[in-house]
């Protein structure tokens, strides 16, 4: 019976401690005994104890002399350390205690899985209405239960043993944290580990944020757990305690949860941009206000970004914004090349739209509300938007330029040395609806003005493919 074993061990340890106080005289036990034995109360026993000690101190020539004499006498005796002298016999039989801790953690995880409210409850799907009982959560409560159990278990176990058994129990803590990470990972929307994430509701986004915040909390607390274990563990076992793997797992889960939210935005943006590709850019007649698809993009971000930004911590809010820009702007560029032909006025309209879209992206960090973020904190985000949108603006301005000025515009705006440069220039030539002979002439003109390593070549193999896409007749 493990309970009887533990009870016997506790009484044995208590007995050893009493022996140590009375008869032990190792260096760390020579202390001011008056702090322990001298009564401080007003009852008869305390008064009697104080009187006896005062008489002894007077006979010994004062307190300091008395203490020095006692310490000297104690030092002359053989060193005795009663700690673990009996209780160490129990250690070989504590394997069942380690098993008990493992079972307790498993039961707690099972209880957490049943009792936790896993779904997002702050918002009702896409309506934006309050879908719960008004309670706003930042993270799952189960993580606190797991961490509190580990803290109490460590206090309980360290009173029994600080050797190999405690090192084994620390492994059970690690496994428990790893199992909890797997549990909350399973609550992410389907397809989170692949690119198959579909449209996410506001409730789905909230669930991802709950997972991200919970994982972030665990990641931040784990180093403290490791230190607490090492502080009570015997020195020769401390190297066996390493929670870095579990910490990195939770850090990776934060990234995965945020990236899952971003994938949901990519799906929504892709649906809007598909409408853009079906617009008659080759027959555009005039340049006016920004296009309707731009308004839809702005509306989509304004509706779905604020709840996510408000739930995430400051650090991961900016990480979310960065990932959103890195994923969405290249998607916008990709859909520009799906627009088939684009005439000069259509290209000018695209240029107008691209400037509006850049402004929309630059405003994303401010959609969180509250205090404005300092410029230094959004500097990295602004660089990402400037870099990615710089390519888009260069593409649409090159499209808008007359054929005889296309190469000069291209040299001015489009970054050379880019690994995608050759492919991008080729696509621009096709988008303008130029015949093959015109394309070859323009490429030769471009190549004549750059070094050999920067030469552009038309993709002969893709010629038929582009003809089918753009319905060319050459």
């Amino acid at each position: 019976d493990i309970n009887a074993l533990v009870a016997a061990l506790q009484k044995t340890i208590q007995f050893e401690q009493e022996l140590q106080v009375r008869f032990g005289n190792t260096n760390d036990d020579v202390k001011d005994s008056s702090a322990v034995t001298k009564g401080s109360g007003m009852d008869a026993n305390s008064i009697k104890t104080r009187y006896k000690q005062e008489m002894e101190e007077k006979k010994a020539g004062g307190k300091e002399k008395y203490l020095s004499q006692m310490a000297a006498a104690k030092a002359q005796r053989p060193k005795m350390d009663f700690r673990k002298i009996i209780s160490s016999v129990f250690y070989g039989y504590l394997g069942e205690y380690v098993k008990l801790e493992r079972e307790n953690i498993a039961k707690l995880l099972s209880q957490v899985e049943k009792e936790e409210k896993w779904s997002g409850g702050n918002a009702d799907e896409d309506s934006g209405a309050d879908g719960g009982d008004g309670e706003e959560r930042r993270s799952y409560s189960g993580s606190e239960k797991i961490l509190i159990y580990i803290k109490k278990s460590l206090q309980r176990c360290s009173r029994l043993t600080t050797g190999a058994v405690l090192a084994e129990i620390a492994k059970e803590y690690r496994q428990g944290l790893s199992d909890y990470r797997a549990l909350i990972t399973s609550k992410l929307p389907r397809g989170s580990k692949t690119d198959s994430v579909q449209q996410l509701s506001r409730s789905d986004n909230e669930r991802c944020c709950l997972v991200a915040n919970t994982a972030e909390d665990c990641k931040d607390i784990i180093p403290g757990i490791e230190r607490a274990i090492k502080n009570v563990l015997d020195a020769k076992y401390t190297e066996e305690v390493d929670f870095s793997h579990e910490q990195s797992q939770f850090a990776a889960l934060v990234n995965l949860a945020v990236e899952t939210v971003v994938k949901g935005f990519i799906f929504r943006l892709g649906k809007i941009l598909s409408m853009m590709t079906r617009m008659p850019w080759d027959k555009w007649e005039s340049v006016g206000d920004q296009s309707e698809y731009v308004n839809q993009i702005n509306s989509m971000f304004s509706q779905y970004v604020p709840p996510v930004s408000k739930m995430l911590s400051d650090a991961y809010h900016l990480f979310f914004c960065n990932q959103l820009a890195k994923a969405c702007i290249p998607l916008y560029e990709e859909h520009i090349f799906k627009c088939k032909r684009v005439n000069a006025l259509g290209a000018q309209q695209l240029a107008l739209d691209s400037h509006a879209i850049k402004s929309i992206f630059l405003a994303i960090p401010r959609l969180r509300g509250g205090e404005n973020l300092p410029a230094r904190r959004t500097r990295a985000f602004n660089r990402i938007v400037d870099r990615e949108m710089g390519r888009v603006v260069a593409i649409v301005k090159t499209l808008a330029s007359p054929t005889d000025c296309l190469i000069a515009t291209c040299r001015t705006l489009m970054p050379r040395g880019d690994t995608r440069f050759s492919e991008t220039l080729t696509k621009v030539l096709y988008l303008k609806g130029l015949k093959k002979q015109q394309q070859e002439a323009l490429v030769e003109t471009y190549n004549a003005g750059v070094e050999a390593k920067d030469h552009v070549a038309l993709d002969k193999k893709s010629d038929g493919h582009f003809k089918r896409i753009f319905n060319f007749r050459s």
Side-chain angles (χ1 to χ4, degrees):
D1 184 353
I2 186 62
N3 292 324
L5 180 66
V6 170
L9 177 56
Q10 288 173 334
K11 289 184 178 180
T12 303
I13 292 173
Q14 183 179 0
F15 177 61
E16 290 173 342
Q17 290 172 345
E18 291 175 357
L19 288 175
Q20 186 67 22
V21 170
R22 293 195 179 194
F23 306 108
N25 65 335
T26 54
N27 291 336
D28 56 347
D29 293 318
V30 179
K31 300 177 182 177
D32 186 351
S33 59
S34 66
V36 177
T37 60
K38 189 172 183 177
S40 58
M42 295 304 294
D43 57 281
N45 288 332
S46 295
I47 295 172
K48 184 178 179 181
T49 300
R50 287 200 299 271
Y51 178 76
K52 286 180 65 177
Q53 286 187 269
E54 288 172 0
M55 291 299 100
E56 289 175 352
E57 289 173 5
K58 287 180 179 179
K59 291 179 182 179
K63 181 179 178 181
E64 295 299 328
K65 186 176 180 180
Y66 169 72
L67 289 176
S68 63
Q69 288 176 349
M70 291 293 292
K74 198 170 185 180
Q76 290 176 1
R77 294 188 311 212
K79 291 186 177 181
M80 294 294 295
D81 190 352
F82 293 94
R83 293 169 299 186
K84 300 183 182 180
I85 196 169
I86 306 173
S87 59
S88 59
V89 177
F90 288 79
Y91 296 166
Y93 303 93
L94 288 178
E96 288 298 314
Y97 186 72
V98 177
K99 182 180 177 181
L100 179 63
E101 285 295 325
R102 182 186 310 133
E103 292 173 352
N104 288 341
I105 293 173
K107 288 178 183 177
L108 180 58
L109 285 170
S110 178
Q111 178 185 349
V112 166
E113 184 173 15
K114 291 177 182 178
E115 296 179 356
E116 188 73 77
K117 182 181 178 183
W118 295 108
S119 61
N122 296 342
D124 183 12
E125 295 301 320
D126 292 339
S127 66
D130 186 1
D133 54 5
E135 177 187 4
E136 291 190 4
R137 299 179 295 166
R138 183 190 173 276
S139 60
Y140 289 123
S141 61
S143 62
E144 185 177 356
K145 295 177 181 178
I146 299 292
L147 296 170
I148 289 175
Y149 176 83
I150 290 176
K151 179 181 178 180
K152 291 183 177 180
S153 171
L154 176 60
Q155 293 172 346
R156 183 173 61 250
C157 297
S158 61
R159 286 195 290 265
L160 300 177
T161 173
T162 57
V165 175
L166 182 56
E168 288 299 313
I169 292 175
K171 294 178 182 178
E172 300 303 326
Y173 299 156
R174 291 179 56 193
Q175 185 61 49
L177 289 168
S178 182
D179 291 343
Y180 182 67
R181 179 200 57 80
L183 174 61
I184 60 177
T185 301
S186 68
K187 304 307 175 182
L188 290 174
R190 186 178 303 175
S192 59
K193 295 183 179 181
T194 65
D195 292 330
S196 61
V197 172
Q198 301 297 307
Q199 181 168 297
L200 300 182
S201 66
R202 290 185 64 172
S203 180
D204 292 330
N205 286 341
E206 182 185 343
R207 190 163 76 252
C208 291
C209 291
L210 288 169
V211 171
N213 292 337
T214 304
E216 183 185 7
D217 290 343
C218 292
K219 171 184 71 72
D220 293 341
I221 292 174
I222 281 176
I225 294 175
E226 181 177 332
R227 286 193 301 271
I229 295 172
K230 289 182 175 180
N231 285 340
V232 297
L233 191 63
D234 292 347
K236 63 181 179 180
Y237 297 109
T238 54
E239 292 185 1
E240 298 181 19
V241 179
D242 183 3
F243 283 69
S244 59
H245 178 65
E246 286 68 33
Q247 186 180 20
S248 64
Q249 281 186 321
F250 278 108
L253 178 55
V254 183
N255 293 346
L256 176 62
V258 173
E259 289 166 359
T260 300
V261 176
V262 172
K263 290 175 184 177
F265 277 92
I266 291 173
F267 184 85
R268 288 183 180 275
L269 181 62
K271 290 176 65 175
I272 298 173
L273 292 175
S274 294
M275 181 186 73
M276 178 192 77
T277 63
R278 295 191 294 269
M279 296 170 67
W281 297 106
D282 58 334
K283 300 176 182 178
W284 211 261
E285 297 180 352
S286 62
V287 179
D289 295 332
Q290 62 190 36
S291 302
E292 177 58 26
Y293 76 89
V294 178
N295 296 329
Q296 291 187 20
I297 292 173
N298 186 39
S299 176
M300 184 266 290
F301 283 138
S302 299
Q303 182 179 358
Y304 291 97
V305 167
V308 174
S309 296
K310 290 175 182 177
M311 284 194 68
L312 294 174
S313 65
D314 290 346
Y316 282 98
H317 162 238
L318 291 176
F319 174 73
F320 162 68
C321 294
N322 292 345
Q323 296 302 108
L324 197 62
K326 289 178 181 178
C328 290
I329 297 176
L331 183 67
Y332 175 44
E333 177 186 330
E334 177 185 328
H335 278 75
I336 287 176
F337 288 122
K338 292 181 179 180
C339 290
K340 299 185 179 180
R341 286 188 180 182
V342 179
N343 65 18
L345 289 175
Q348 292 177 26
Q349 182 66 50
L350 281 174
L352 178 66
D353 293 343
S354 67
H355 282 289
I357 288 176
K358 181 177 180 180
S359 298
I360 291 171
F361 274 103
L362 288 174
I364 284 177
R366 297 195 298 273
L367 292 176
R368 191 184 196 190
E371 297 181 1
N372 290 330
L373 289 172
R376 59 180 177 79
R377 296 197 60 202
T378 58
R379 196 171 295 138
F381 172 78
N382 292 341
R383 283 199 298 266
I384 293 171
V385 174
D386 289 339
R387 182 184 69 243
E388 298 296 336
M389 284 303 302
R391 279 183 50 83
V392 174
V393 171
I395 289 168
V396 295
K397 284 187 175 180
T398 302
L399 272 174
S401 63
T403 302
D404 55 350
C405 300
L406 188 145
I407 295 301
T409 305
C410 177
R411 284 174 175 163
T412 303
L413 299 178
M414 298 184 70
R416 291 189 294 273
D418 189 337
T419 56
R420 297 177 292 170
F421 178 74
S422 179
E423 177 187 3
T424 301
L425 180 57
T426 302
K427 289 179 179 179
V428 168
L429 296 177
Y430 279 116
L431 274 180
K432 285 188 70 69
L434 301 178
K435 295 183 178 180
K436 187 175 181 180
Q437 293 81 359
Q438 291 177 298
Q439 295 175 36
E440 291 175 345
L442 288 170
V443 168
E444 288 178 4
T445 302
Y446 176 82
N447 288 342
V450 297
E451 298 179 9
K453 64 182 180 66
D454 294 326
H455 280 189
V456 171
L458 291 173
D459 189 353
K460 305 288 185 182
K461 295 181 181 179
S462 300
D463 185 49
H465 169 68
F466 278 107
K467 283 182 179 180
R468 287 193 297 275
I469 290 179
F470 299 125
N471 196 24
F472 282 160
R473 291 183 182 180
S474 56

